[in-house]
Amino acid sequence: MKIDSKGNIIIGSTAILIVVLLLLCIFIVTTLNYIEHGNIDFQSNDNFKYIVEDYSKNLEIVERESLAEVTQKAFDGWPIFNSEKEIKNKLDNHLKEINVEYEKKYDVKITSEVLSVENSDSPWNLLFKVKLNIQKDDESYSDIVEKLVSVEGLRDPLPIAKLTVASGILTYGNKYHYGTALAGYMVLHNLKSPESYIEATAPLIIKKCPYDPYTHHGDPGVLKDCLKNGYFHESADGSCYLCRLEGDGKCPHYGFEVFIQTHTPLKNESLSCSDHVVFSDHYNGQKIDENDWNSLILDSSHRKKYGLIENETY
């Protein structure tokens, strides 16, 4: 049977339509497959990013905990000869345990190494550096993670590390209660008027003083509030936290100082009450108010630093 030209056109058009439909189907299937795999890849990247961010967030918490645990060691009566090494070892051990937990939970391989624990530009923060490698399937993360960890809210280890638990120094009510510990220390070092520091007290918890500049301590009521709250103050002469852990009352780093408050009716000259003076520098001062049992004993340079003038009421 002979097919006319009209039939040829119909057959040709049908063939072209079938080819177009086949190509369209192939395109749709390919596109859907690409989108599906693209979503999987995106989801995989997102999950890995979460793991990295979660680990990094928890890192600062563990660093703070490690710092607090080394501080506890000082309060347990153990001497600390190298505070940086002690903190690094403590943190390394914690991270090893955490790395195992992450491997079980996320099927991820993590290696970590604490590179350093050091002072930062601020005496209120320590700088932790941790080398971190995270591997999951074809994805990896490698970096040196730096975190600033605050020492505020931690206990001041200097008095207990300097005098040792054998001295009889006690802690309660968020204060150090020296009893005869400081007087005994002063007698041992042939320092003047040790009786002035019998039953002295000092803040236990590190809290940054909000009165800046410090000359505001000369304003009415400020010194009283500072002593009530037990604030610490930045000081080029004061000891940093790492050195305080080792019992050093003075160090080459930028640190902080706190007032050791006497409670005595005596009016005689004795050590100026900044802690780095009592524990290291050993120079004398006089009561700000001779008639006040709780008056601070300060030298002229500290009076100037805190805006305190003789014969004034604060």
Side-chain angles (χ1 to χ4, degrees):
M1 179 172 45
K2 186 175 180 181
I3 301 176
D4 57 18
S5 59
K6 185 176 181 180
N8 289 333
I9 293 173
I10 294 173
I11 293 172
S13 299
T14 302
I16 292 172
L17 182 61
I18 292 172
V19 171
V20 171
L21 289 174
L22 286 173
L23 291 174
L24 183 60
C25 290
I26 292 172
F27 175 77
I28 292 172
V29 170
T30 302
T31 302
L32 291 174
N33 187 59
Y34 175 80
I35 292 173
E36 181 181 358
H37 282 83
N39 285 337
I40 292 173
D41 290 340
F42 179 80
Q43 185 178 6
S44 177
N45 289 334
D46 198 48
N47 288 340
F48 186 73
K49 181 181 178 182
Y50 167 79
I51 294 171
V52 173
E53 290 178 348
D54 186 63
Y55 191 97
S56 180
K57 180 179 65 177
N58 289 327
L59 189 58
E60 185 174 343
I61 298 173
V62 180
E63 288 167 344
R64 168 89 171 191
E65 289 175 351
S66 299
L67 186 57
E69 288 175 7
V70 174
T71 300
Q72 180 60 47
K73 183 176 178 179
F75 278 84
D76 289 339
W78 296 96
I80 297 174
F81 301 107
N82 187 326
S83 58
E84 179 184 354
K85 183 178 179 181
E86 292 271 0
I87 298 167
K88 284 173 62 178
N89 290 342
K90 183 71 68 174
L91 179 56
D92 266 326
N93 290 334
H94 281 313
L95 292 181
K96 287 177 182 177
E97 296 175 357
I98 292 174
N99 296 345
V100 172
E101 292 176 4
Y102 268 72
E103 184 172 1
K104 292 179 179 178
K105 185 175 181 180
Y106 298 112
D107 190 27
V108 61
K109 180 67 175 178
I110 301 178
T111 59
S112 57
E113 179 188 359
V114 182
L115 300 179
S116 65
V117 181
E118 58 194 61
N119 288 295
S120 68
D121 293 335
S122 167
W124 312 107
N125 297 305
L126 293 177
L127 177 62
F128 284 72
K129 294 182 181 180
V130 177
K131 185 178 181 180
L132 190 61
N133 291 286
I134 303 178
Q135 182 78 37
K136 182 175 174 64
D137 299 328
D138 295 331
E139 297 175 292
S140 64
Y141 171 86
S142 181
D143 198 6
I144 295 176
V145 181
E146 297 185 1
K147 295 283 186 179
L148 286 175
V149 178
S150 174
V151 300
E152 290 189 73
L154 296 176
R155 292 172 294 174
D156 178 18
L158 176 58
I160 198 78
K162 184 73 174 181
L163 300 178
T164 76
V165 294
S167 67
I169 186 173
L170 299 174
T171 59
Y172 55 90
N174 285 337
K175 283 187 176 182
Y176 275 107
H177 295 263
Y178 284 99
T180 59
L182 265 183
Y185 167 83
M186 292 172 68
V187 169
L188 186 64
H189 290 81
N190 297 314
L191 300 172
K192 188 176 181 179
S193 303
E195 64 275 8
S196 294
Y197 277 86
I198 294 176
E199 299 300 334
T201 58
L204 175 63
I205 307 300
I206 295 175
K207 291 184 284 185
K208 180 181 178 181
C209 183
Y211 296 110
D212 188 15
Y214 292 154
T215 51
H216 282 305
H217 285 70
D219 297 342
V222 172
L223 179 61
K224 183 178 180 180
D225 184 67
C226 179
L227 294 174
K228 178 182 177 182
N229 288 284
Y231 292 134
F232 286 65
H233 309 87
E234 294 187 23
S235 171
D237 298 317
S239 184
C240 71
Y241 196 85
L242 292 176
C243 290
R244 294 172 96 87
L245 281 167
E246 298 171 9
D248 294 330
K250 189 177 179 67
C251 72
H253 316 111
Y254 189 59
F256 44 80
E257 64 183 355
V258 71
F259 298 128
I260 298 177
Q261 191 171 2
T262 59
H263 309 281
T264 175
L266 300 175
K267 300 178 181 180
N268 51 307
E269 181 179 287
S270 189
L271 285 178
S272 186
C273 70
S274 175
D275 62 347
H276 70 84
V277 178
V278 173
F279 290 128
S280 182
D281 291 322
H282 299 161
Y283 50 79
N284 288 343
Q286 297 80 34
K287 273 189 171 184
I288 297 175
D289 182 355
E290 289 187 349
N291 298 314
D292 183 2
W293 281 38
N294 299 313
S295 174
L296 296 180
I297 301 173
L298 288 176
D299 57 279
S300 58
S301 63
H302 278 92
R303 290 186 188 214
K304 182 178 180 181
K305 174 179 178 178
Y306 293 99
L308 302 172
I309 303 171
E310 293 185 56
N311 302 320
E312 293 276 348
T313 301
Y314 305 101

